[in-house]
Amino acid sequence: MRKIELKNISKSYNDEPIIENLNLEIPAGSFFALLGPSGSGKTTLLRMIAGFETPDTGEVIVGSKYITHVPAHERKINTVFQQYALFPHLNVFDNVAYGLRIKKIPEDRIEQKVRKVLKAVHLERQMYRAIDQLSGGQKQRVALARAVVNEPDVLLFDEPLAALDPKLREAMMVELMELQENLKTTFVYVTHDQTEALTVADTMAIMNQDGEIEQVGTPEQIYEFPASSFVARFVGTTNLFPGILHLDENKAEIDVPYLGKLAVVVPKDAPWACDECNVLLSLRPEKIRMSKKPLEGFSNQLEGVVDSIIYYGRSTQYNVLLNNDLIMHVFEQNEKHFPTDEVDNDDRVYVYWQKENAVLLKK
């Protein structure tokens, strides 16, 4: 297992900065996801770790070795691409064995290693099939096996599941997690798909459109406690309320235009929080309770009208129009066979949440 350090990394193309003075540490043996919008520089970072690009300034360190200027073929790092890059004239076994034969590994050892890795990715029955006889998911597993068989210190993934259909993508995510757990190799996974990142990663970094890292943490930390409005918006869905923070010894409130004062909790690590300062309140839609009748026991209550309803199967999204023409998104799980308080378009409803379920952010 090897940790990866990126120190003071900068990279430009045609005098256009992509990444500037970036620092990041990827824990050894972790399943680490780089999540960000298109153009954020996440693939550029991956290519610098792989050795396909060289940073203008800064250092790439794997374990204790500085590899910034080490050629890609001399690094114990393999990459799995979105477009498989398999040899169409070779069968499954020979595709996986290709790198081992380049290294002149004895054939009996190659046989042993290839069979072992194909069993790990559930392709032992397709060992001698032609590539064009495989499904998209099977091709991706061949590409994965070809990368794993070389026993790299680090395995990189560049949008590896983007070309697969949703059901197959879900199955592949589970297989990747199981494989990483068994291998204990450091996985670095680049994606713009938040569901993939939240599912597979044990640690993740969120990059913004300027190539800056907004937050690093576990999926739960990032989803439940976003460090910025960018993270709150980009990872999942949220309701953002701008307002003025009011603090006294006993309580904290945010005064939101046209909605009034809402109870909040000020984070302990928020030195920017002050009385009368401008802030944002982030509230996830699934943290909100909705009812056609008044309820007791909640920190906050607002009243509105159901503007639209979107049925997703597992859940339903209600878009509620509040007093200031702001739309509040509310998610409800479809767990009741016969809802007793069925809500329809244009119904007047109450929305509730506890102050602990919202996150105060710097504006």
Coordinates of all heavy atoms in Angstrom, one line a residue, residues 310-343:
I310 N -42.9 15.5 -8.4 CA -42.1 14.6 -9.3 C -42.0 13.2 -8.6 O -41.4 13.1 -7.5 CB -40.7 15.2 -9.6 CG1 -40.8 16.6 -10.1 CG2 -40.0 14.3 -10.6 CD1 -39.5 17.3 -10.3
Y311 N -42.5 12.2 -9.3 CA -42.5 10.8 -8.8 C -41.3 10.1 -9.3 O -41.1 10.0 -10.5 CB -43.8 10.1 -9.2 CG -43.8 8.7 -8.7 CD1 -44.1 8.4 -7.4 CD2 -43.7 7.6 -9.6 CE1 -44.2 7.1 -6.9 CE2 -43.8 6.3 -9.1 CZ -44.0 6.1 -7.8 OH -44.1 4.7 -7.4
Y312 N -40.4 9.6 -8.4 CA -39.2 8.9 -8.8 C -39.2 7.4 -8.6 O -38.3 6.7 -8.8 CB -38.0 9.4 -8.0 CG -37.6 10.8 -8.4 CD1 -37.7 11.9 -7.5 CD2 -37.1 11.1 -9.7 CE1 -37.3 13.2 -7.9 CE2 -36.7 12.4 -10.1 CZ -36.8 13.4 -9.2 OH -36.5 14.7 -9.5
G313 N -40.3 6.9 -8.1 CA -40.4 5.4 -7.8 C -40.1 5.2 -6.3 O -41.0 5.0 -5.5
R314 N -38.8 5.2 -6.0 CA -38.5 5.0 -4.6 C -38.9 6.2 -3.7 O -39.1 6.1 -2.5 CB -36.9 4.8 -4.4 CG -36.4 3.6 -5.1 CD -34.9 3.5 -4.9 NE -34.3 2.3 -5.6 CZ -33.0 2.1 -5.6 NH1 -32.2 2.9 -5.1 NH2 -32.6 1.0 -6.2
S315 N -38.9 7.4 -4.3 CA -39.2 8.6 -3.5 C -40.0 9.6 -4.4 O -40.1 9.4 -5.6 CB -37.9 9.3 -3.1 OG -37.1 9.7 -4.2
T316 N -40.5 10.6 -3.8 CA -41.3 11.7 -4.4 C -40.7 13.0 -4.0 O -40.4 13.2 -2.9 CB -42.8 11.6 -4.1 OG1 -43.3 10.4 -4.5 CG2 -43.5 12.7 -4.8
Q317 N -40.5 13.9 -5.0 CA -40.0 15.2 -4.7 C -41.2 16.2 -4.8 O -41.9 16.2 -5.8 CB -38.9 15.7 -5.7 CG -38.5 17.1 -5.5 CD -37.4 17.5 -6.5 OE1 -36.4 16.7 -6.7 NE2 -37.5 18.7 -7.1
Y318 N -41.4 17.0 -3.7 CA -42.4 18.0 -3.7 C -41.7 19.4 -3.8 O -40.8 19.6 -3.0 CB -43.2 17.9 -2.4 CG -44.0 16.6 -2.3 CD1 -43.4 15.5 -1.7 CD2 -45.3 16.5 -2.7 CE1 -44.1 14.3 -1.5 CE2 -46.0 15.3 -2.6 CZ -45.4 14.2 -2.0 OH -46.1 13.1 -1.9
N319 N -42.1 20.2 -4.7 CA -41.6 21.5 -4.8 C -42.6 22.5 -4.2 O -43.7 22.7 -4.8 CB -41.3 21.9 -6.3 CG -40.2 21.0 -6.9 OD1 -39.2 20.7 -6.2 ND2 -40.4 20.6 -8.1
V320 N -42.3 23.1 -3.1 CA -43.2 23.9 -2.3 C -42.8 25.4 -2.5 O -41.7 25.8 -2.2 CB -43.1 23.5 -0.8 CG1 -44.1 24.4 0.0 CG2 -43.5 22.0 -0.6
L321 N -43.8 26.2 -2.9 CA -43.6 27.6 -3.1 C -43.9 28.3 -1.8 O -44.9 28.3 -1.2 CB -44.6 28.1 -4.1 CG -44.5 29.6 -4.6 CD1 -43.2 29.8 -5.2 CD2 -45.7 30.0 -5.5
L322 N -42.8 29.0 -1.3 CA -42.9 29.7 0.0 C -43.3 31.2 -0.2 O -43.5 31.7 -1.3 CB -41.5 29.6 0.7 CG -41.0 28.2 1.0 CD1 -39.6 28.2 1.6 CD2 -42.0 27.4 1.8
N323 N -43.3 31.9 0.9 CA -43.8 33.3 0.8 C -43.0 34.2 -0.1 O -43.6 35.2 -0.6 CB -43.8 33.9 2.3 CG -44.9 33.2 3.2 OD1 -45.8 32.6 2.6 ND2 -44.7 33.3 4.5
N324 N -41.7 34.0 -0.2 CA -40.9 34.9 -0.9 C -40.6 34.4 -2.3 O -39.6 34.8 -3.0 CB -39.5 35.1 -0.2 CG -38.8 33.8 -0.1 OD1 -39.3 32.8 -0.3 ND2 -37.5 34.0 0.2
D325 N -41.6 33.6 -2.9 CA -41.5 33.0 -4.2 C -40.3 32.0 -4.3 O -39.9 31.7 -5.4 CB -41.4 34.1 -5.3 CG -42.7 34.8 -5.4 OD1 -43.8 34.2 -5.1 OD2 -42.7 35.9 -5.9
L326 N -39.7 31.6 -3.2 CA -38.6 30.6 -3.2 C -39.2 29.2 -3.2 O -40.1 29.0 -2.5 CB -37.7 30.8 -2.0 CG -36.5 29.9 -1.8 CD1 -35.5 30.2 -2.8 CD2 -36.0 29.9 -0.4
I327 N -38.6 28.4 -4.1 CA -39.1 27.0 -4.1 C -38.3 26.2 -3.1 O -37.0 26.2 -3.2 CB -38.9 26.4 -5.5 CG1 -39.9 27.1 -6.5 CG2 -39.1 24.9 -5.5 CD1 -41.4 26.7 -6.3
M328 N -38.9 25.5 -2.2 CA -38.3 24.5 -1.3 C -38.5 23.1 -1.8 O -39.6 22.7 -2.1 CB -38.8 24.7 0.1 CG -38.2 23.6 1.0 SD -38.8 23.8 2.7 CE -37.6 24.9 3.4
H329 N -37.4 22.3 -2.0 CA -37.5 20.9 -2.4 C -37.7 20.0 -1.2 O -36.9 20.2 -0.2 CB -36.3 20.5 -3.2 CG -36.0 21.4 -4.3 ND1 -36.8 21.6 -5.4 CD2 -34.9 22.3 -4.6 CE1 -36.3 22.4 -6.3 NE2 -35.2 22.9 -5.8
V330 N -38.6 19.2 -1.2 CA -38.9 18.2 -0.1 C -38.9 16.8 -0.7 O -39.6 16.5 -1.7 CB -40.2 18.5 0.6 CG1 -40.4 17.5 1.7 CG2 -40.3 19.9 1.1
F331 N -38.1 15.9 -0.2 CA -38.1 14.5 -0.6 C -38.8 13.6 0.4 O -38.6 13.8 1.6 CB -36.7 13.9 -0.8 CG -35.9 14.5 -1.9 CD1 -34.6 14.2 -2.1 CD2 -36.5 15.2 -2.9 CE1 -33.8 14.7 -3.2 CE2 -35.8 15.7 -4.0 CZ -34.5 15.4 -4.1
E332 N -39.6 12.7 0.0 CA -40.3 11.8 0.9 C -40.1 10.4 0.3 O -40.4 10.2 -0.9 CB -41.8 12.1 1.1 CG -42.0 13.3 2.0 CD -43.5 13.4 2.4 OE1 -44.3 12.6 1.9 OE2 -43.8 14.2 3.3
Q333 N -39.7 9.4 1.1 CA -39.6 8.0 0.7 C -41.0 7.5 0.5 O -41.9 7.7 1.3 CB -38.9 7.2 1.7 CG -37.4 7.5 1.8 CD -36.6 7.1 0.5 OE1 -36.9 6.1 -0.1 NE2 -35.8 8.0 0.1
N334 N -41.2 6.7 -0.6 CA -42.5 6.1 -0.9 C -42.6 4.7 -0.1 O -42.6 3.7 -0.7 CB -42.7 5.9 -2.4 CG -42.7 7.2 -3.1 OD1 -43.2 8.2 -2.6 ND2 -42.2 7.2 -4.3
E335 N -42.8 4.9 1.2 CA -42.8 3.7 2.1 C -44.2 3.3 2.5 O -44.4 2.2 3.1 CB -41.9 3.9 3.3 CG -42.2 5.1 4.1 CD -41.2 5.4 5.2 OE1 -40.2 4.7 5.2 OE2 -41.4 6.4 5.9
K336 N -45.2 4.1 2.2 CA -46.5 3.8 2.6 C -47.3 3.3 1.4 O -47.3 3.9 0.3 CB -47.2 5.0 3.2 CG -46.6 5.6 4.5 CD -47.3 6.8 5.0 CE -46.6 7.4 6.2 NZ -47.3 8.6 6.7
H337 N -48.1 2.2 1.6 CA -48.9 1.7 0.5 C -50.1 2.6 0.3 O -50.6 2.9 -0.8 CB -49.4 0.3 0.8 CG -48.3 -0.7 0.8 ND1 -47.6 -1.0 -0.3 CD2 -47.7 -1.4 1.8 CE1 -46.7 -2.0 -0.1 NE2 -46.7 -2.2 1.2
F338 N -50.7 3.1 1.4 CA -51.9 4.0 1.4 C -51.6 5.2 2.2 O -52.0 5.2 3.4 CB -53.1 3.2 1.9 CG -53.4 2.0 1.1 CD1 -53.0 0.7 1.6 CD2 -54.0 2.0 -0.2 CE1 -53.3 -0.4 0.9 CE2 -54.2 0.9 -0.9 CZ -53.9 -0.3 -0.4
P339 N -51.0 6.3 1.7 CA -50.7 7.5 2.5 C -52.0 8.0 3.1 O -53.0 8.2 2.5 CB -50.2 8.4 1.4 CG -49.7 7.6 0.3 CD -50.6 6.4 0.3
T340 N -51.9 8.3 4.4 CA -53.1 8.9 5.1 C -53.2 10.4 5.0 O -54.2 11.0 5.2 CB -53.0 8.5 6.6 OG1 -51.7 9.0 7.1 CG2 -53.0 7.0 6.8
D341 N -52.1 11.0 4.6 CA -52.1 12.5 4.4 C -51.6 12.8 3.0 O -50.6 13.5 2.8 CB -51.1 13.1 5.5 CG -51.3 14.6 5.6 OD1 -52.3 15.1 5.1 OD2 -50.4 15.3 6.1
E342 N -52.3 12.3 2.0 CA -51.9 12.5 0.7 C -51.9 14.0 0.2 O -52.8 14.7 0.5 CB -52.8 11.7 -0.3 CG -52.3 11.6 -1.7 CD -53.0 10.6 -2.5 OE1 -53.8 9.8 -1.9 OE2 -52.8 10.6 -3.8
V343 N -50.8 14.4 -0.4 CA -50.6 15.8 -0.8 C -50.7 15.9 -2.3 O -50.2 15.0 -3.0 CB -49.2 16.3 -0.3 CG1 -49.0 17.7 -0.9 CG2 -49.2 16.3 1.2

